[in-house]
Amino acid sequence: MREFRSENSEMSDVASAQDLMRGFVVSRPGSNLKQKLGSAAAALKWTQSRAKAVLYGEARRIDAHEMERLEAIADQKLAREQEKEGRGHDAKHELERAFAMVAAHLAAEAAQGDRDAAHALRKIVGAMAVA
């Protein structure tokens, strides 16, 4: 769970909640702010007016259970992003490995004098690099 207050920090619970809410609303599905806000409110199990008040910093206070819910969702979002990054690195590694295998095959075909196969493989690799 996040710790928002420190000795040097003046950020209030309302400001912290507003900051978390901004990040949460932006990431929600929907084509406009009203849809995104509605989606965020539903996920938080809040009314749309409560979500809007927190988003715009109009809330006078943030209850502990509201802050806990926002923090939990922010932590889940962070975990998903880190997981995506990890998978992205794995996919990149696999792609680099595939390119290395194709390059080795190209070299072998060219060494054997099979220019047609080498030419076809170069076209495939060129198309893969563009995609």
Side-chain angles (χ1 to χ4, degrees), residues 6 9 78 124:
S6 69
S9 176
L78 181 63
I124 291 169

Side-chain angles (χ1 to χ4, degrees), residues 25-40:
V25 168
V26 168
S27 69
R28 301 306 299 170
S31 60
N32 61 38
L33 183 59
K34 187 174 183 178
Q35 289 176 340
K36 290 176 180 277
L37 190 60
S39 174

Side-chain angles (χ1 to χ4, degrees), residues 14 18 21-22 33 37 50-59:
V14 173
Q18 181 183 17
M21 192 69 174
R22 282 183 184 144
L33 183 59
L37 190 60
R50 180 62 176 162
K52 184 178 177 182
V54 172
L55 178 65
Y56 291 116
E58 297 167 352

